Amino acid sequence: MIPKKLNKGDKIAIVSLSRGLLGMPFCKHELDLGVKRLKEFGLDVVIMPNALKDMDYLKDHPEARASDLKEAFMDDSIKAIITAIGGDDTYKTIPYLMDDPEFIDAVKKHPKIFTGFSDTTNNHLMLNRLGLSTFYGPCLLVDLAELDNEMLPYTKEYFKKYFMSENGYEILSSPIWYYDRESYGVEAVGTPRKSENERHGFEVLNGGGKVTGKLYGGCIESIYAAYTGNRYGDENKIYEKYNILPTDNEWKEKVLFLETSEEKPSPEELEKMLMVLKSKNILKLVKGIIVGKPIDEKYYDEYKDIYKKVFSDLDTPVLFNVNFGHSVPRCIIPYDAVASIDYDNKTIHIDTKILE
């Protein structure tokens, strides 16, 4: 199911599917800035009822977070949904939604743009199982609410694609990358991020040739937890109960995109996570891999070495240092869109229409 593109005057809903940061006083300047930017795009902003509840409430009430997502899908006047931030326990919303026939029916009857990244991976994979093409892309607090005087140009250009019905587009390497901010407080408003010129561009770490497949993936820590339950002990059980993860035959159709979070896992941790995916034959089954740029280029060379090591006995091609996920700036990656990755020429092209 492909959503419709946005038009000026459309409603966009803000949801908080993990921690309740958005409603905390220390985030008020970011909330105001994010809403202002959405309005500058000509959008009518709808903040869902529980999105501004405090952190303790939303931590203890995943059913309230799930209720906001359900309500946003059931309201046909809402054309897009943007997450406040990623967080760390979005999987807890899954049972409330997957056990709700009204929610499932609403997703299928009212497909709409859903954008976010990081631990929002859980909601992407759930919606993907229901047949909706969603977008691993900008969220409110760290993209629309960029504290500089403008959104970061590369991020803004890809956000504009939500207003287009293109037959395809290319994902390019950003000429500039930005460091994470030391502070997101009021004192940082109007200040630029520290940045560097891109020195590497896309890098091939394994294999070559050209592959075409359906895009699927997200934050590797969230996917790892979906298979192992390493964070809370029951993530894997929930994924198994609702058959959310792809079957072997489904993996064979995929181009897998992976990226690491702001927690900057050590190279040893990255290897452990990749080896779990390897043990499931996922890294062998998929047509190709694209890997996000590490945040702040932390462990840049070490991560490259880990990928080369893990894939040394596999033919699966790997393209590294793509601008998505936690690295800044970020593009949008549409789930289930057909993409062609030319590993010899280091290009990524979305081949299909992502919005009607």
Side-chain angles (χ1 to χ4, degrees), residues 142 177-184 193-194 262 264 295-296 326 328:
V142 292
W177 64 270
Y178 304 83
Y179 288 92
D180 195 14
R181 288 182 178 272
E182 293 181 3
S183 170
Y184 286 85
R193 287 176 181 256
K194 181 183 175 184
E262 80 286 352
K264 304 172 185 174
I295 189 170
D296 293 348
H326 287 80
V328 186

Short mmCIF file of all heavy atoms in Angstrom, two decimals, residues 142 177-184 193-194 262 264 295-296 326 328:
data_model
loop_
_atom_site.label_atom_id
_atom_site.label_comp_id
_atom_site.label_asym_id
_atom_site.label_seq_id
_atom_site.Cartn_x
_atom_site.Cartn_y
_atom_site.Cartn_z
N VAL A 142 14.65 15.98 16.02
CA VAL A 142 16.04 16.16 15.57
C VAL A 142 16.17 16.58 14.12
O VAL A 142 17.27 16.79 13.64
CB VAL A 142 16.86 14.87 15.82
CG1 VAL A 142 17.04 14.62 17.29
CG2 VAL A 142 16.22 13.67 15.15
N TRP A 177 28.81 16.41 6.31
CA TRP A 177 28.14 15.71 7.41
C TRP A 177 28.35 16.53 8.69
O TRP A 177 29.25 17.35 8.78
CB TRP A 177 28.65 14.28 7.56
CG TRP A 177 30.10 14.11 7.94
CD1 TRP A 177 31.16 14.01 7.10
CD2 TRP A 177 30.63 14.01 9.27
NE1 TRP A 177 32.34 13.87 7.80
CE2 TRP A 177 32.04 13.86 9.13
CE3 TRP A 177 30.09 14.04 10.54
CZ2 TRP A 177 32.89 13.72 10.23
CZ3 TRP A 177 30.93 13.91 11.64
CH2 TRP A 177 32.31 13.75 11.48
N TYR A 178 27.46 16.30 9.64
CA TYR A 178 27.40 17.12 10.84
C TYR A 178 27.56 16.27 12.10
O TYR A 178 27.07 15.15 12.17
CB TYR A 178 26.06 17.86 10.93
CG TYR A 178 25.73 18.70 9.72
CD1 TYR A 178 25.16 18.11 8.59
CD2 TYR A 178 25.97 20.07 9.70
CE1 TYR A 178 24.85 18.87 7.47
CE2 TYR A 178 25.67 20.84 8.60
CZ TYR A 178 25.10 20.23 7.48
OH TYR A 178 24.79 20.98 6.36
N TYR A 179 28.21 16.85 13.09
CA TYR A 179 28.35 16.19 14.39
C TYR A 179 27.04 16.30 15.18
O TYR A 179 26.26 17.24 14.99
CB TYR A 179 29.46 16.84 15.20
CG TYR A 179 30.85 16.53 14.71
CD1 TYR A 179 31.49 17.37 13.79
CD2 TYR A 179 31.54 15.41 15.15
CE1 TYR A 179 32.77 17.10 13.33
CE2 TYR A 179 32.82 15.12 14.70
CZ TYR A 179 33.43 15.97 13.78
OH TYR A 179 34.69 15.69 13.32
N ASP A 180 26.84 15.36 16.08
CA ASP A 180 25.75 15.48 17.02
C ASP A 180 26.02 16.69 17.92
O ASP A 180 27.19 17.05 18.17
CB ASP A 180 25.65 14.21 17.87
CG ASP A 180 24.33 14.10 18.63
OD1 ASP A 180 23.39 14.86 18.30
OD2 ASP A 180 24.24 13.27 19.55
N ARG A 181 24.96 17.33 18.38
CA ARG A 181 25.15 18.51 19.24
C ARG A 181 25.51 18.08 20.66
O ARG A 181 25.03 17.06 21.16
CB ARG A 181 23.86 19.34 19.28
CG ARG A 181 23.58 20.09 17.99
CD ARG A 181 22.32 20.93 18.13
NE ARG A 181 22.04 21.70 16.93
CZ ARG A 181 22.52 22.91 16.69
NH1 ARG A 181 23.31 23.50 17.58
NH2 ARG A 181 22.22 23.55 15.57
N GLU A 182 26.31 18.89 21.31
CA GLU A 182 26.62 18.65 22.72
C GLU A 182 25.44 19.04 23.60
O GLU A 182 25.24 18.49 24.68
CB GLU A 182 27.87 19.43 23.14
CG GLU A 182 29.14 18.94 22.45
CD GLU A 182 30.37 19.70 22.90
OE1 GLU A 182 30.24 20.58 23.79
OE2 GLU A 182 31.46 19.42 22.37
N SER A 183 24.65 20.01 23.12
CA SER A 183 23.47 20.45 23.87
C SER A 183 22.33 20.75 22.91
O SER A 183 22.54 21.29 21.82
CB SER A 183 23.80 21.71 24.67
OG SER A 183 22.60 22.28 25.21
N TYR A 184 21.11 20.37 23.34
CA TYR A 184 19.90 20.71 22.60
C TYR A 184 19.06 21.72 23.39
O TYR A 184 17.88 21.87 23.15
CB TYR A 184 19.09 19.45 22.31
CG TYR A 184 19.71 18.59 21.22
CD1 TYR A 184 20.70 17.66 21.52
CD2 TYR A 184 19.33 18.73 19.90
CE1 TYR A 184 21.29 16.89 20.54
CE2 TYR A 184 19.90 17.97 18.90
CZ TYR A 184 20.89 17.05 19.22
OH TYR A 184 21.48 16.30 18.24
N ARG A 193 25.56 23.56 13.61
CA ARG A 193 26.26 22.37 14.05
C ARG A 193 27.71 22.41 13.53
O ARG A 193 27.99 22.96 12.47
CB ARG A 193 25.61 21.10 13.47
CG ARG A 193 24.29 20.72 14.10
CD ARG A 193 23.72 19.52 13.37
NE ARG A 193 22.43 19.10 13.92
CZ ARG A 193 22.27 18.04 14.70
NH1 ARG A 193 23.30 17.29 15.04
NH2 ARG A 193 21.07 17.72 15.14
N LYS A 194 28.59 21.77 14.26
CA LYS A 194 29.94 21.54 13.76
C LYS A 194 29.84 20.56 12.60
O LYS A 194 29.08 19.58 12.67
CB LYS A 194 30.82 20.97 14.87
CG LYS A 194 32.26 20.71 14.46
CD LYS A 194 33.04 20.08 15.61
CE LYS A 194 34.45 19.70 15.15
NZ LYS A 194 35.20 18.99 16.23
N GLU A 262 22.74 6.25 18.29
CA GLU A 262 23.52 7.27 18.99
C GLU A 262 24.30 6.69 20.17
O GLU A 262 25.19 7.33 20.72
CB GLU A 262 22.61 8.41 19.47
CG GLU A 262 21.83 8.16 20.73
CD GLU A 262 20.66 7.20 20.56
OE1 GLU A 262 20.34 6.84 19.40
OE2 GLU A 262 20.04 6.80 21.57
N LYS A 264 26.36 4.43 19.85
CA LYS A 264 27.66 4.13 19.27
C LYS A 264 28.22 2.80 19.78
O LYS A 264 29.23 2.76 20.49
CB LYS A 264 28.65 5.26 19.58
CG LYS A 264 28.18 6.63 19.09
CD LYS A 264 29.09 7.74 19.57
CE LYS A 264 28.56 9.12 19.18
NZ LYS A 264 29.34 10.23 19.74
N ILE A 295 27.36 7.67 13.36
CA ILE A 295 27.20 9.01 13.92
C ILE A 295 28.56 9.55 14.38
O ILE A 295 29.36 8.83 15.00
CB ILE A 295 26.17 8.98 15.08
CG1 ILE A 295 25.82 10.39 15.55
CG2 ILE A 295 26.63 8.10 16.23
CD1 ILE A 295 24.66 10.44 16.52
N ASP A 296 28.85 10.78 14.01
CA ASP A 296 30.12 11.46 14.33
C ASP A 296 31.33 10.74 13.74
O ASP A 296 32.47 11.02 14.14
CB ASP A 296 30.30 11.61 15.84
CG ASP A 296 29.30 12.55 16.47
OD1 ASP A 296 28.60 13.28 15.73
OD2 ASP A 296 29.18 12.56 17.71
N HIS A 326 20.90 7.57 12.11
CA HIS A 326 21.35 8.50 13.13
C HIS A 326 22.39 9.50 12.66
O HIS A 326 22.61 10.51 13.31
CB HIS A 326 21.90 7.71 14.32
CG HIS A 326 20.84 7.03 15.14
ND1 HIS A 326 20.27 5.85 14.76
CD2 HIS A 326 20.22 7.40 16.29
CE1 HIS A 326 19.35 5.49 15.65
NE2 HIS A 326 19.30 6.41 16.58
N VAL A 328 23.91 12.57 10.58
CA VAL A 328 23.28 13.81 10.16
C VAL A 328 24.11 14.40 9.01
O VAL A 328 25.33 14.50 9.15
CB VAL A 328 23.21 14.81 11.33
CG1 VAL A 328 22.42 16.05 10.96
CG2 VAL A 328 22.59 14.15 12.57
#
